[in-house]
């Protein structure tokens, strides 16, 4: 029977000024009645624009490691993460900077006809679904590296990408699968990225044709939404490629039963 999710605690979710989509993943239920331990697994958007007060809060979390899943193009656009004393910053790109750089340049500066040709009639959502499937299928070494690090020493952990929605969302989902968290709880956490105060701030160039008109924003919406069908595509890829979550973790990510148990010891109450 599915457990009822606990009310979200905002004690560790201040109104950060320069960091979007921050949250503690603690409290999510596992299939055997345990819960993810608070204060051990966090997720967010990038930290490059963290203010002084944001940085003070992040430093208070006692983090061991920050995993940044952005690629070089993202970092060039947004900047490097703030440095937190005593915290290890590990960059593990989950997308190729050359794959999509022109696309995101178009998102920021493209004219309306170009946006329509690339994004209208379900094409934007299809692109997102394809990306989710690709990351699950082709980034097993990267996800294995993250889980292996947490098995060994990298907890408490913060995972982020640019918006904290897709690459970080998948990495958190994979971690939660390894912990035995229930699928509906993983989905509920994923969909939290749609909350107004969490959403990535869409940016268009000052001279971009059409600016941020209602039509432009509607065309872009699928790129910036957290949609359950995107996450379902990832789960379907796991099952279609490996046959089950257990085989994905053991064969795809090289995570042994002993590794999973150690991870659970670190991250579950």
């Amino acid at each position: 029977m599915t457990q009822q999710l606990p009310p979200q605690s905002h004690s560790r979710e201040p109104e950060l000024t320069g960091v979007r989509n921050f949250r503690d993943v603690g409290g999510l239920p596992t299939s055997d009645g345990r819960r993810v331990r608070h204060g051990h697994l966090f997720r967010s958007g990038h930290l490059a624009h963290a203010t002084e007060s944001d940085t003070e809060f992040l430093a208070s979390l006692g983090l061991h490691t920050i995993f940044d899943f952005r690629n070089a193009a993202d970092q060039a656009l947004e900047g490097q993460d703030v440095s937190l004393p005593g915290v290890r910053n590990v960059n593990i790109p989950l997308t190729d900077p050359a794959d999509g750089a022109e696309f995101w340049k178009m998102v920021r500066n493209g004219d309306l006809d170009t946006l329509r040709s690339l994004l209208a009639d379900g094409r934007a959502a299809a692109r997102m679904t394809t990306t989710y499937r690709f990351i699950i299928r082709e980034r097993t070494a990267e996800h294995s590296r993250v889980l292996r690090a947490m098995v060994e020493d990298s907890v408490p952990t913060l995972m982020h990408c640019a918006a904290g929605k897709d690459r970080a969302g998948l990495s958190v989902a994979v971690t939660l699968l390894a912990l035995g968290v229930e699928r509906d709880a993983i989905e509920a956490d994923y969909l939290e990225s749609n909350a107004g105060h969490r959403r990535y701030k869409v940016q268009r160039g000052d001279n971009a044709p059409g600016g941020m008109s209602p039509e432009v924003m509607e065309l872009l919406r699928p790129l910036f939404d957290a949609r359950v069908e995107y996450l379902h595509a990832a789960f379907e890829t796991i099952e279609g490629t490996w046959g089950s979550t257990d085989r994905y973790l053991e064969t795809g990510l090289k995570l042994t039963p002993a590794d999973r148990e150690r991870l659970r010891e670190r991250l579950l109450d």
Side-chain angles (χ1 to χ4, degrees), residues 86-263:
V87 180
R88 182 176 64 169
N89 291 75
V90 180
N91 179 224
I92 304 180
L94 291 181
T95 52
D96 187 332
D99 178 22
E102 289 302 313
F103 174 83
W104 290 103
K105 181 178 179 181
M106 177 276 300
V107 166
R108 294 190 299 274
N109 300 304
D111 60 43
L112 193 52
D113 286 341
T114 302
L115 292 174
R116 286 174 181 150
S117 68
L118 292 176
L119 303 177
D121 301 321
R123 287 187 285 275
R127 178 185 178 88
M128 296 302 297
T129 298
T130 298
T131 297
Y132 275 54
R133 291 186 182 279
F134 173 85
I135 290 175
I136 288 294
R137 190 176 58 250
E138 303 296 337
R139 295 295 183 256
T140 52
E142 289 82 353
H143 282 140
S144 178
R145 181 181 169 192
V146 171
L147 291 175
R148 174 68 54 194
M150 287 192 289
V151 166
E152 294 174 354
D153 63 7
S154 297
V155 176
T157 296
L158 169 64
M159 299 182 183
H160 80 80
C161 51
K165 173 178 73 76
D166 303 314
R167 290 165 289 186
L170 281 175
S171 298
V172 169
V174 167
T175 302
L176 297 176
L177 286 174
L179 293 172
V181 172
E182 296 179 350
R183 289 282 185 94
D184 61 348
I186 296 174
E187 291 177 7
D189 172 69
Y190 169 78
L191 292 173
E192 280 290 317
S193 291
N194 286 327
H197 69 289
R198 300 189 193 281
R199 292 180 70 95
Y200 187 79
K201 292 183 178 179
V202 181
Q203 299 180 5
R204 293 265 289 160
D206 293 339
N207 298 316
M212 297 177 69
S213 69
E215 183 179 0
V216 167
M217 297 308 293
E218 188 61 28
L219 287 167
L220 297 180
R221 183 179 303 279
L223 305 177
F224 296 96
D225 282 350
R227 297 188 177 184
V228 73
E229 56 263 36
Y230 302 161
L231 192 59
H232 284 176
F235 292 154
E236 290 165 4
T237 300
I238 288 173
E239 290 158 6
T241 305
W242 288 276
S244 70
T245 298
D246 285 341
R247 284 186 58 81
Y248 164 64
L249 293 168
E250 293 174 13
T251 305
L253 304 189
K254 312 300 182 186
L255 204 66
T256 68
D259 292 333
R260 290 183 68 181
E261 184 56 35
R262 180 58 176 154
L263 191 66

